[in-house]
C-alpha cells in the first residue's frame, strides 16, 4: 500500500495557506491538522490521540470529515509546529499522521 494520504499546500498571501489532503486509504473518515503538545516530529514513540480529542481541542486542531476522498483547509498558519496532519477511521481511532517535512506514517 502507498501513502495513506497526500498533502498539497500553497501560500495564498501573507500568512494565509491553502492545504489540501487527498485520502488514499478508504479507512480514513476524518482528518485533523494541528499539533498537541505531546506530539513531536522527531519522536518515534507511539501516542494515543482520537478524533474526539481533536474536536475537544479546537484551539489546537482544525478537523474535517473526508468527502469524496478530499479535505480542504484555509489556514492562517501552517508550519512544522502547527502543521501535523492526523487521519482517523470512522470510529475516530488514529491510523496515520504526517508532519510537513516528512512522509506520512501508517500507524495502524
Amino acid at each position: 500500500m502507498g501513502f495513506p494520504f497526500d498533502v498539497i499546500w500553497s501560500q495564498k498571501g501573507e500568512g494565509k495557506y491553502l492545504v489540501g489532503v487527498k485520502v488514499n486509504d478508504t479507512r480514513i473518515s476524518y482528518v485533523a491538522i494541528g499539533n498537541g503538545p505531546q506530539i513531536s516530529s522527531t519522536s518515534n514513540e507511539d501516542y494515543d490521540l482520537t478524533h474526539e480529542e481533536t474536536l475537544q481541542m479546537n484551539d489546537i486542531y482544525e478537523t474535517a470529515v473526508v468527502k469524496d476522498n478530499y479535505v480542504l483547509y484555509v489556514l492562517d498558519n501552517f508550519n512544522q509546529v502547527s502543521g501535523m496532519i492526523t487521519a482517523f477511521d470512522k470510529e475516530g481511532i488514529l491510523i496515520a499522521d504526517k508532519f510537513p517535512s516528512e512522509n506520512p506514517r501508517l500507524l495502524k
Side-chain angles (χ1 to χ4, degrees), residues 27-89:
R27 297 177 302 156
I28 297 173
S29 296
Y30 308 103
V31 175
I33 188 167
N35 190 19
Q38 76 281 13
I39 303 167
S40 167
S41 66
T42 59
S43 174
N44 289 327
E45 294 180 24
D46 289 340
Y47 62 94
D48 289 323
L49 181 68
T50 66
H51 179 247
E52 183 63 34
E53 289 172 322
T54 63
L55 291 171
Q56 293 171 2
M57 293 185 280
N58 60 3
D59 57 328
I60 298 173
Y61 292 98
E62 295 283 335
T63 62
V65 177
V66 175
K67 300 279 187 187
D68 297 325
N69 298 326
Y70 289 92
V71 171
L72 183 65
Y73 297 95
V74 178
L75 305 169
D76 291 330
N77 191 8
F78 181 72
N79 59 43
Q80 187 70 17
V81 175
S82 65
M84 182 178 174
I85 297 171
T86 49
F88 305 89
D89 66 13

Side-chain angles (χ1 to χ4, degrees), residues 18-33:
L18 179 64
V19 180
V21 179
K22 178 174 184 321
V23 174
N24 304 316
D25 187 327
T26 58
R27 297 177 302 156
I28 297 173
S29 296
Y30 308 103
V31 175
I33 188 167

